[in-house]
Amino acid sequence: SHARTFVDQYHREFGFELEGRDLLIDDFRVRAIVPGATPAPPPSVPSLGAPPAFGSCRAYFENGWETVSTYKFEDLKPGHEILGPAIIVQSIS
């Protein structure tokens, strides 16, 4: 079932399960394969360089704690380049 698949994926990603809660699917994606020629890729976007970071924080990675820059998703534009590791914060997350 979709619920079991979600719980399995959630546990694999976060290491625990949210028990005793209803599951609400608010985004469902479908992929389709359409026969025919592959369309040409869109033109390249000129580089805008690095966007301004709105702050920094400490985050834990494979090699331990690091101080990383944080960026607001809403401030990013096509062509921005971010050197990682970094954290991109979205207002809905």
Side-chain angles (χ1 to χ4, degrees):
S1 76
H2 291 297
R4 184 75 249 159
T5 301
F6 173 82
V7 169
D8 291 345
Q9 292 265 358
Y10 190 93
H11 188 268
R12 188 170 28 260
E13 185 167 343
F14 298 106
F16 64 94
E17 295 179 18
L18 297 173
E19 296 178 2
R21 296 190 179 189
D22 292 334
L23 176 63
L24 170 68
I25 299 173
D26 69 359
D27 185 13
F28 196 85
R29 297 177 188 207
V30 176
R31 292 185 183 181
I33 298 174
V34 179
T38 301
S44 295
V45 176
S47 174
L48 297 177
F54 83 89
S56 64
C57 68
R58 307 233 333 125
Y60 193 83
F61 294 95
E62 291 176 358
N63 296 320
W65 288 97
E66 294 184 42
T67 299
V68 298
S69 296
T70 55
Y71 300 89
K72 291 183 181 178
F73 178 81
E74 295 80 15
D75 294 341
L76 301 180
K77 296 179 176 41
H80 274 143
E81 299 173 3
I82 297 174
L83 182 61
I87 294 178
I88 298 173
V89 179
Q90 191 172 13
S91 62
I92 64 169
S93 61

